[in-house]
Amino acid sequence: MAPTGRPSALAEHAFSPHDAVLRAAARRLGRRRFLTVTAAAAALAFATNRPARGAVAAPERTARISKDPFTLGVASGDPLPDSVLLWTRLAPEPFLEDGGMGTERVTVEWEVALDEYFAGVLHRGTAEAHAEYNHSVHVDVKGLLPGTVYYYRFRAGAWLSPAGRTRTAPAAGTATSSLKLAAVACQAYMDGYYTVLRHVAQDDVDVVFHLGDYLYEYAVNSEGGERRYTDVTLPDVFNRETMTLADYRLRYSLYKTDEDLRAAHARHPFVVAWDDHETENNYAGSTPENDIPPSEFLLRRAAAYRAYWENQPLRAAQLPQGPDARLYRRLHWGTLAQFDILDTRQYRSDQAYDDRPHAPGAESDDPARTITGAEQEQWLLDGWKGSTALWNVMPQQVCFSQRKFDVTADAALSMDAWDGYRASRARVVAGAKAAGVDNWLILTGDVHVGYALDVKEDFDDPASATVGTEVTCTSVASGRDGVEEPANWDLYMRANPHMKFYNGKRGYVRAELGRQATHLDFKTVSAISAPGAAVTTAASFVTEAGEPGLKPA
């Protein structure tokens, strides 16, 4: 948890000129007025100089770029049958607020080929890198062939980016036989090395799902925390909590200088979803963790969401409007899988019982409480009704299944997970049942441990029907090295009979979806306190098509 009770975290922070305008906007706009999307969006657009429609916001850079601008690598994301989103960001000086690029816009060339040597380039074009978007580049390449591996790269001036590898989804209606995916989450830079991501880069998966906490707002000291650098001294700018747009942008720069993270992005397309730490620990909708005015927090949320979009392979549809961004979305992999990527952070009700572990009660079980918001919930249920996929996969952030912390009848539950929003969960379970969703797979991050869980129609009745499967993918780095059997392992396994596996090491989940079954591997590494640890398979399970529930593989 971050420190609480601060009168105003922003008040004691260093600001760039843009951030000073954000503060002024917060003072001018009253709380009620600021809470409207229009006012908030206008304030952020004014503060960050978004490029004007139909006009060039800044002159094009003509001066020579004297240093490699591709220090943050390349990435791709959200593959469609005929399109994939390509990303890079120009930052020859990644630890400067402007990345060393100044205020000019820069024309960036891109090209796509079928071979890694680019002997035959199939598609090429140009894109503008605007200072207003921190010189990030988002290219939605269309006209691609379905189910095809492509290679891509960028050029800025005389500099050529590393080559990236990506792929398109199979054509709609195609009875694809298999899909291999990796699920990762929670990569606190200061907790250790990204060895897990190096192994993800080397795995032969088709796509990577990042389920949140890509970034942490907490300070990173000059030694890189638990990385304990002896050959690098990080700037003081990272040794504070992220509050402003400049802070969030710089923190992404720090994370993306990690070679293992860059390798994973360059090798596979990513599908990303945020959780809380990309903004602030355990925030709920417009309610911050700490006691600050909501209007001030929404400015912080706007800055965090803006920096997130700038640094991820996301399409224009996910571009924030002030403190709001439509991140939930749907992807398909032929008729094999439908992916409903959720946002369980932006629209939720505030956590019950002051976000303390608590037994279910009138406050947490209020039917009006929601973790998804009504609109997203209906979107999810409607999507299931129209689904023709064999597997309906729900990538999301916090533990969906019940997780009792004790064996007693009044055992406490997490008020930040779906346990704190049981009416929401009941509606979703009922919606899955009504839609005839037989093969429901939930991918979850957040908890820094690996769980394999049967999703029950009634978690308090172990004999009730199993309606789906949930796997949590532990963490890339958060929680440091971890242990195979945490101290509460026996207690949790007894308190939750639907929990089939519990492991506290760092790692990821590898899933192979097929027409007959989905095979699930929990991949772990022995340590992240030093780089280079080997990867092992801690446990494997299958869930068979038409037979919900986990079986040891």
Side-chain angles (χ1 to χ4, degrees):
M1 287 287 224
T4 58
R6 291 175 295 181
S8 174
L10 287 170
E12 58 194 39
H13 215 73
F15 288 86
S16 72
H18 284 169
D19 298 319
V21 179
L22 285 173
R23 296 185 72 198
R27 288 194 297 269
R28 290 198 304 271
L29 295 171
R31 179 177 183 272
R32 184 182 300 275
R33 182 180 170 213
F34 189 84
L35 290 176
T36 68
V37 173
T38 301
L44 189 73
F46 171 68
T48 53
N49 295 333
R50 290 179 58 187
R53 291 187 181 275
V56 176
E60 185 172 357
R61 187 182 187 121
T62 56
R64 180 173 176 269
I65 301 174
S66 59
K67 295 181 66 175
D68 180 8
F70 297 108
T71 58
L72 307 181
V74 299
S76 67
D78 282 16
L80 302 177
D82 64 346
S83 170
V84 69
L85 193 288
L86 307 182
W87 173 93
T88 193
R89 197 182 118 210
L90 307 181
E93 297 287 354
F95 294 169
L96 297 181
E97 181 181 338
D98 66 357
M101 290 298 298
T103 60
E104 297 88 352
R105 66 184 175 94
V106 178
T107 298
V108 178
E109 300 172 51
W110 58 268
E111 52 189 14
V112 174
L114 288 174
D115 67 291
E116 59 186 313
Y117 304 105
F118 296 84
V121 174
L122 300 179
H123 301 269
R124 56 164 46 95
T126 61
E128 301 299 315
H130 289 273
E132 293 82 1
Y133 293 122
N134 212 205
H135 290 100
S136 61
V137 177
H138 298 72
V139 180
D140 192 357
V141 182
K142 300 181 184 297
L144 302 178
L145 296 173
T148 303
V149 171
Y150 288 97
Y151 295 85
Y152 63 95
R153 63 186 180 186
F154 299 89
R155 186 187 301 274
W159 297 95
L160 195 64
S161 77
R165 177 180 177 271
T166 190
R167 69 175 64 238
T168 51
T174 302
T176 307
S177 60
S178 68
L179 162 67
K180 293 170 285 189
L181 66 86
V184 299
C186 305
Q187 52 190 44
Y189 183 97
M190 60 285 190
D191 277 7
Y193 289 90
Y194 290 166
T195 307
V196 169
L197 293 177
R198 173 60 60 176
H199 291 296
V200 169
Q202 295 169 348
D203 206 334
D204 64 339
V205 297
D206 300 308
V207 63
V208 176
F209 285 82
H210 199 296
L211 304 174
D213 295 345
Y214 187 103
L215 183 85
Y216 277 70
E217 75 275 31
Y218 303 138
V220 181
N221 66 21
S222 61
E223 296 179 346
E226 293 303 309
R227 296 185 177 215
R228 304 186 187 280
Y229 292 142
T230 58
D231 58 341
V232 174
T233 301
L234 296 179
D236 288 340
V237 70
F238 300 121
N239 200 14
R240 65 192 191 204
E241 186 171 343
T242 54
M243 295 288 178
T244 68
L245 180 58
D247 287 341
Y248 286 108
R249 285 171 165 174
L250 281 164
R251 199 59 55 88
Y252 281 106
S253 294
L254 174 63
Y255 276 51
K256 285 178 175 289
T257 55
D258 183 277
E259 63 179 0
D260 293 335
L261 177 57
R262 294 199 311 273
H265 273 300
R267 187 63 179 171
H268 308 300
F270 270 54
V271 177
V272 298
W274 58 41
D275 194 12
D276 53 340
H277 287 290
E278 287 90 351
T279 301
E280 179 192 54
N281 179 59
N282 281 20
Y283 80 93
S286 60
T287 304
E289 179 187 27
N290 298 304
D291 187 19
I292 64 172
S295 59
E296 196 168 297
F297 172 70
L298 284 177
L299 285 171
R300 181 182 183 181
R301 196 178 90 175
Y305 285 11
R306 172 67 166 270
Y308 184 85
W309 184 85
E310 290 173 345
N311 286 278
Q312 298 290 10
L314 290 166
R315 288 185 169 86
Q318 279 68 58
L319 177 64
Q321 300 297 312
D324 303 286
R326 170 72 179 262
L327 200 67
Y328 65 88
R329 58 205 190 277
R330 182 169 292 124
L331 299 172
H332 297 88
W333 206 262
T335 61
L336 182 64
Q338 174 173 298
F339 295 97
D340 297 294
I341 301 104
L342 299 190
D343 176 356
T344 61
R345 192 57 61 178
Q346 184 177 182
Y347 311 105
R348 64 162 64 194
S349 309
D350 195 12
Q351 292 94 342
Y353 301 111
D354 296 322
D355 198 16
R356 300 188 308 272
H358 202 282
E363 184 177 341
S364 60
D365 285 349
D366 182 347
R369 288 175 52 74
T370 177
I371 195 170
T372 61
E375 182 178 334
Q376 182 180 194
E377 181 181 293
Q378 193 61 53
W379 168 87
L380 175 64
L381 303 186
D382 289 346
W384 282 340
K385 291 175 186 176
S387 175
T388 59
L390 177 62
W391 296 95
N392 286 278
V393 186
M394 194 174 86
Q396 54 97 52
Q397 294 78 22
V398 294
C399 203
F400 184 87
S401 300
Q402 181 168 284
R403 190 168 44 119
K404 288 186 173 181
F405 296 154
D406 206 339
V407 293
T408 58
D410 60 347
L413 308 172
S414 168
M415 293 295 103
D416 187 59
W418 287 78
D419 276 337
Y421 302 82
R422 299 204 307 173
S424 252
R425 182 170 63 198
R427 291 191 296 268
V428 169
V429 170
K433 185 177 179 180
V437 174
D438 292 327
N439 306 306
W440 182 19
L441 175 62
I442 302 171
L443 304 178
T444 300
D446 183 62
V447 286
H448 307 172
V449 296
Y451 293 136
L453 302 141
D454 284 345
V455 180
K456 307 296 288 186
E457 188 170 14
D458 179 0
F459 284 103
D460 291 322
D461 177 9
S464 69
T466 297
V467 295
T469 297
E470 179 179 15
V471 291
T472 68
C473 62
T474 189
S475 66
V476 168
S478 306
R480 305 178 182 178
D481 286 340
V483 295
E484 288 189 15
E485 284 195 6
N488 56 13
W489 185 90
D490 182 67
L491 178 62
Y492 276 28
M493 295 296 285
R494 287 188 292 114
N496 302 284
H498 54 283
M499 184 179 290
K500 308 303 180 183
F501 174 75
Y502 176 16
N503 182 285
K505 299 296 286 186
R506 309 286 70 83
Y508 67 102
V509 164
R510 187 185 193 277
E512 184 165 357
L513 283 63
R515 306 304 299 189
Q516 304 301 318
T518 287
H519 184 101
L520 300 158
D521 291 322
F522 287 85
K523 300 284 190 177
T524 60
V525 297
S526 58
I528 59 164
S529 50
V535 66
T536 60
T537 301
S540 296
F541 295 88
V542 294
T543 177
E544 297 176 354
E547 295 288 338
L550 290 156
K551 300 175 182 177

